[in-house]
Every structure is written in structure tokens, then in C-alpha cells.
Amino acid sequence: MTVSYVAGPASTLFGRHFLEVTDFTPAELRRLLDLARYLKVQARSEQRTLLRDRTLAMLFEKPSLRTRVSFEVAMTQLGGDVFFAQGSEFMIGARETPEDAARVLSRYVDAIVVRTHAHEPLQRFAQSASVPVINALSARAHPCQALGDMLTIQERFGGIAGLRIAYVGDARNNVAASLAEAAVMLGATVQFGCPPTHRPSESYLAKLDALGSQSGGSARAFSNAVRAVREADVVYTDVWTSMGEERYRERNDAMLRPYAVTEELFSYAQPAAVFMHCLPAHRGEETVAGVIDGPRSAVFDEAENRMHAQKALLAALLTELKGIPV
Ligand code: CP
Ligand code: NVA
């Protein structure tokens, strides 16, 4: 594909933060996905100058493979530079207030990607930053994962509206929340399968219904895993114990065992259903090799699409998308 010099509309995302999926409107999410699809097939040589002379800081308080590498490669392919820092020295609020750290970093770099524990210090940090702040995973949300997941679902099904997406396991975690918010905003039905200990609150389910009201999306929760998965187009799961929650591991293993995505549970979904997982995965826990390594698994497309979606995100937050026809 060659670049057309007919400009698309200016980016309404220019200069904004992305801490949660709901920071953007459904129309903005759709445009971001269009842009991701465009950048995915565009010749790399055409992208080399999009973010020239821009620097991205990445502060990670938790381990990462996909998020770190996909952001670094995305920024590099768009012609920008990356500063990566990991560990307690860079923890938000450890040596100084989140507000002071944000004001200082905003003097050095053009955008800041943060992987952290609690969400609230990240919000404080973003409120004081004068450059875009991107949530690369907090205890509450993993919005960049949701972008890559929506891109993957669109590729597989040609769209998202009207699909049935089952999420089984810890339905209160960051990945579940961001996936569900994006899915209902884009018109899908989300069916959680989880025990009462890991069930989203009624008020959160109502919030998801409200988010989906314009596009026909909605959410419900079942304690029976089969009911959640039955006739689903997508079956999604994540680790039973998220980073920072290790003290609950034994309880989670016991409570979530009936929600493992085995071949048997997966067989209740549509014959053409796809299996999704944000990775890293634990075979023999939340899923099994026969599913995640099977022909209907989309997990490596998801991992790849993190990079394309984040390229679109960086381009939209850091430029006005001049010269880009989507
Ligand atoms: N899915 C995901 O965010 O992976 P990492 O923890 O490896 O970044
Ligand atoms: N829910 C997981 C996602 C890892 C990408 C965690 O927070 O550890």
C-alpha cells in the first residue's frame, strides 16, 4: 500500500492520555483500529519519519515481554527513540509525588508509557503530565491489550458488533475489564464465566451495559462456565493470579479450576470460535495445550497486533495524523 496524501480528519486523540478504554469514544476506538490496520500493511519504509525526533519514556514496575518489546519496536519503526526504565527506582510515588515525577518527565520526553500496580497514582501522574500518558497495565486496566484484541477479532470476523465474547476465569482482573469495555463499546455481547469471588459487581455490569447502549453491546455474568461459553464466537481467558496478587494464588487455583478452558469447555462455543489469551499463559491451569496450541487459537496474532495497535496509538496521540488517509 502506498501513502495517499489526501488527509483524513485531524486526530481528536492528539495530546490525550490513554489510561482506560473508556477514555476514548467508540468512534475514536474505531478510527484507531482503522489506523492500526492501515499501518499494519503500509510499507515500513513509509513510516520511518512519522515520529522522528520524538522520545518515549517507558517506566515499568512489573515484568513484561510483549508490552515492552511491542512498544519499543513500534516507536523505533516510526522513527522515534525510547528510554526504558524498570524497577523500584522508577516506581510512581516512591521517591517523590506522582505529580512532581510527571512534571519533570514531561520536560524530557514526548510521551510516557507506565506499567504499574494501583491505578490511582497513575491517574494522579497523568493529571500532572503535559505529554500523553499511556497505561501499559495497572491493577484496574490493560487498555493496550484490548486494542490488540479488538484488532484481532476484527481480522478474524470482519467486525465486532453482534459477536458473543465469553471471558472465563478471573472476571475482575485488568484484562477482563478492558476487553469487556472495548467489546461492548463496539457492539459485542460479553459473557463472563466466573465464581462469585471473581464476578464483576452488579454496578460494573450495569456500567458495561450503559457503555454498550449506543452500539448494541451488553454484558452478563454466569457462574456456570458452560453457559458463558455456549455459542460464543470468542473464548478468552487470562492467568488466574495477576501480577501483584500472588497472595491469593492458592484461593484462585481452587476457585477457578472449573473455569479452565479445556477442549471440552471450548467445544460448547461456535464451531468457528477462536480462543484468545493475552499471554503469558500457564498450560494446565487456565487453559490446556490442546486449546492454546490448537488450530483455533489466535494468541500469537493477538501478540503481534499489540504492536500494530500501539503504532496507531502513538501516531494518534503524538501527531495530528497529517497525510494519513484514515
Ligand atoms: N499481554 C501482555 O501484556 O504481556 P506482557 O506482560 O509480556 O507485556
Ligand atoms: N492479568 C495479568 C495480565 C498480564 C499481561 C496480570 O495483570 O498479571
Side-chain angles (χ1 to χ4, degrees), residues 220-235:
R220 52 196 150 175
F222 300 95
S223 54
N224 182 309
V226 171
R227 285 191 67 194
V229 164
R230 203 186 291 279
E231 311 226 326
D233 300 290
V234 173
V235 179

Side-chain angles (χ1 to χ4, degrees), residues 152-153 156-157 163-166 228-236 261 263 265-276 290-291 294-299:
T152 307
I153 294 171
R156 293 278 174 144
F157 295 95
L163 294 178
R164 197 174 295 199
I165 300 176
V229 164
R230 203 186 291 279
E231 311 226 326
D233 300 290
V234 173
V235 179
Y236 200 117
V261 184
E263 284 104 330
L265 183 60
F266 195 38
S267 73
Y268 288 97
Q270 295 279 2
V274 298
F275 172 76
M276 296 181 68
V291 173
R296 292 191 283 147
S297 172
V299 300

Side-chain angles (χ1 to χ4, degrees), residues 62 66-67 115 137-139 142 145 167 170 173-176 238-239 241-244 246 278-280 306:
K62 292 172 176 172
R66 280 145 289 273
T67 308
R115 172 167 282 205
L137 183 147
S138 65
H142 197 1
Q145 181 68 47
Y167 179 98
D170 179 7
N173 81 10
N174 42 16
V175 169
D238 182 15
V239 291
T241 298
S242 289
M243 293 180 277
E246 288 77 9
C278 58
L279 304 179
R306 292 289 307 277

Side-chain angles (χ1 to χ4, degrees), residues 9-16 24 31-32 34-36 38-40 42 46-47 49-52 54 56 71 74-80 110-111 113 132 134 147 306-326:
S11 174
T12 57
L13 301 178
F14 180 59
R16 302 227 325 246
F24 296 169
R31 180 154 187 232
L32 210 45
D34 288 347
L35 181 59
Y38 174 80
L39 293 173
K40 184 169 177 174
Q42 189 191 36
E46 308 253 19
Q47 304 177 347
T49 55
L50 201 58
L51 296 183
R52 190 173 49 195
R54 308 297 178 89
L56 178 70
F71 262 114
M75 192 65 186
T76 306
Q77 288 186 5
L78 296 178
D110 301 284
V113 172
I134 298 170
L147 290 182
R306 292 289 307 277
M307 185 180 71
H308 304 299
Q310 289 158 197
K311 260 190 189 174
L313 182 67
L314 290 168
L317 299 184
L318 289 174
T319 77
E320 289 174 323
L321 298 178
K322 286 197 177 119
I324 293 186
V326 286

Side-chain angles (χ1 to χ4, degrees), residues 153-225:
I153 294 171
Q154 258 187 355
E155 285 177 349
R156 293 278 174 144
F157 295 95
I160 293 161
L163 294 178
R164 197 174 295 199
I165 300 176
Y167 179 98
V168 281
D170 179 7
R172 284 189 182 169
N173 81 10
N174 42 16
V175 169
S178 295
L179 175 85
E181 289 164 11
V184 298
M185 286 170 75
L186 297 173
T189 298
V190 174
Q191 302 191 159
F192 295 108
C194 50
T197 41
H198 295 76
R199 181 186 161 103
S201 66
E202 289 309 314
S203 62
Y204 187 69
L205 290 172
K207 175 186 158 179
L208 289 175
D209 282 344
L211 282 173
S213 61
Q214 302 269 306
S215 52
S218 63
R220 52 196 150 175
F222 300 95
S223 54
N224 182 309

Side-chain angles (χ1 to χ4, degrees), residues 254-266:
M255 299 304 297
L256 295 172
R257 174 71 48 198
Y259 300 86
V261 184
T262 58
E263 284 104 330
E264 203 224 322
L265 183 60
F266 195 38

